Amino acid sequence: MDTIIRGGKVVIPYVGVKEVDIGIKDEKIVAFGKNLDFAGASMIDATGKHIFPGAIDGHSHYGLYRELAQDYHVTSRSSAIGGVTTVINFIRSGRSYLEQQPEELAIAEKESVIDFCFHLGIVLDKHVKEMRDYVEKLGTTSFKLFLGYKGMEKERYGTDRTIDDELMLDIFQEMNDISPDLTLAIHCENVEMGRHYYKKYQHIEDRNELVFWDKYNPDIVETENVVRVSYLAKQFNSRISIVHCSAGTSVNTLKGMPWFDPTLVHVETCPHYLTETVDNKKGLGAIVKPPIRYKHDNDQLWDGIKDGIVTFIGTDHVSVSWDEKFKKGNQIDQIQLGFGGAEFMFPLVLSEGHFNRGLPLEKIAEITSANTAKTYGLFPEKGTIDIGSDADLVIVDLDKMVTIDPDTIPINSDYSIYEGREVRGWPVMTIRRGEVIAADGKTIEPKGKGKYLRREATPAKEHRVIEETTVFS
């Protein structure tokens, strides 16, 4: 063995907490036992600490506002300090990903200290036609549909292909033809409804408050989309993830739908929807899409986690400074979307979920790691603590109290919407594939950089043709 972690309490998803030592060799977990010993192995003393599987950020946007290499360099390290060992980054553009993904992969391999893979945004007919190549040649098995940006295709992606239900069904059919292991991540917002609500408030002079961002796109705008895509996923037998679920009504509606199939429909929420409200102290600095909402939405999302409707956490992280956020102007309609948060995902969910909401520690491990890995084809290599799994681990002091500010972790921004929030339970060491990459709030440069996680998909045994007359039967 190369390394032995002794004396800790190991948090195993779906199992519980076990007092056991962990043996690591060649980047993998190879042994469990009491008082493990092996000549030449380095020892890590975790006495009094809990050991979780490394957190997985299944939803980040490196390079959106910042230079891509800088984001991989800075944000991967700050994420590691916060307990993250794997990131799935979104790539979206009007180019072929056969050209673009290898370019980003080369940058990530050079700069990232955490492991990584990609979701690909499908915005062109060309993208749909190339999906099989993305799976077979690039090892990418997850894609993204941006329903919330319908009507902005030319501006954002340089395409005249409308991002609508027709595109969604084209993608479903292509997924069915390729493999049952593919997942389509969907941004659920009905933009036509959003325009209706925007017209109600656009002439109010004092609308430069965060609450009006919710009024522009209230919960029904998201929930209507959630209902439709979950129904269509069932009819087409296609796996989807509903990303950044923000509304309590979305959870409650899914809970009551007779066609809701949790093997097909996976629901993600984000720390800001679980902890923050329209009263956030950063005001318009907390603008994001979908909007941050209300205390009852926080509560209903946590209930959704307890009930198994919401199964995993992503961050929707965007590195952006305060000046960049407002570079187009200070009015509510001019603010750049998004903010950072990947670094604080794990401690925020641990603190709020376990200490304030009573979730067992293994449930925290499931929603921050295991379920994300299962949804996106990384389990059991990632997401768990088991023999043969990657030695991705975060050692946590459950008693450590930290008040978040921009200097708590050296983030790729100068502000955080979580400033002033006190959290209980803090990572004191992060291990990626057996190598320590962060300890005591600082990055430790590893010998090996982050690794690209190629995902494999089982070929479809048969093409499922769905007749128009039977889709809605």
Side-chain angles (χ1 to χ4, degrees), residues 376-396:
Y376 293 126
L378 296 171
F379 192 88
E381 179 184 14
K382 303 292 187 184
T384 192
I385 301 176
D386 200 359
I387 302 297
S389 296
D390 282 1
D392 292 348
L393 305 164
V394 53
I395 301 176
V396 177

Side-chain angles (χ1 to χ4, degrees), residues 57 59-62 71 75 315-319 339-343:
D57 180 6
H59 186 157
S60 258
H61 295 282
Y62 289 13
D71 231 354
T75 303
T315 68
D316 203 6
H317 172 94
V318 180
S319 295
F339 41 74
E343 308 85 0

Side-chain angles (χ1 to χ4, degrees), residues 79 107 215 422:
S79 294
I107 291 171
K215 292 180 182 297
E422 186 175 66

Side-chain angles (χ1 to χ4, degrees), residues 92-108:
R92 55 183 187 181
S93 80
R95 297 175 60 196
S96 167
Y97 298 123
L98 294 174
E99 301 170 358
Q100 187 168 351
Q101 180 173 309
E103 293 174 1
E104 178 156 336
L105 189 154
I107 291 171

Side-chain angles (χ1 to χ4, degrees), residues 311-374:
T311 54
F312 68 107
I313 310 296
T315 68
D316 203 6
H317 172 94
V318 180
S319 295
V320 62
S321 69
W322 190 261
D323 285 345
E324 289 167 333
K325 182 81 173 174
F326 293 92
K327 72 176 185 178
K328 294 182 180 179
N330 296 315
Q331 302 301 304
I332 190 170
D333 306 320
Q334 301 170 321
I335 313 301
Q336 300 269 53
L337 298 174
F339 41 74
E343 308 85 0
F344 303 118
M345 178 263 282
F346 177 76
L348 280 167
V349 173
L350 173 61
S351 181
E352 181 68 17
H354 178 63
F355 291 106
N356 295 342
R357 304 277 178 166
L359 292 182
L361 293 175
E362 62 268 24
K363 187 71 170 180
I364 301 300
E366 291 160 22
I367 62 177
T368 60
S369 188
N371 291 343
T372 313
K374 284 188 172 183

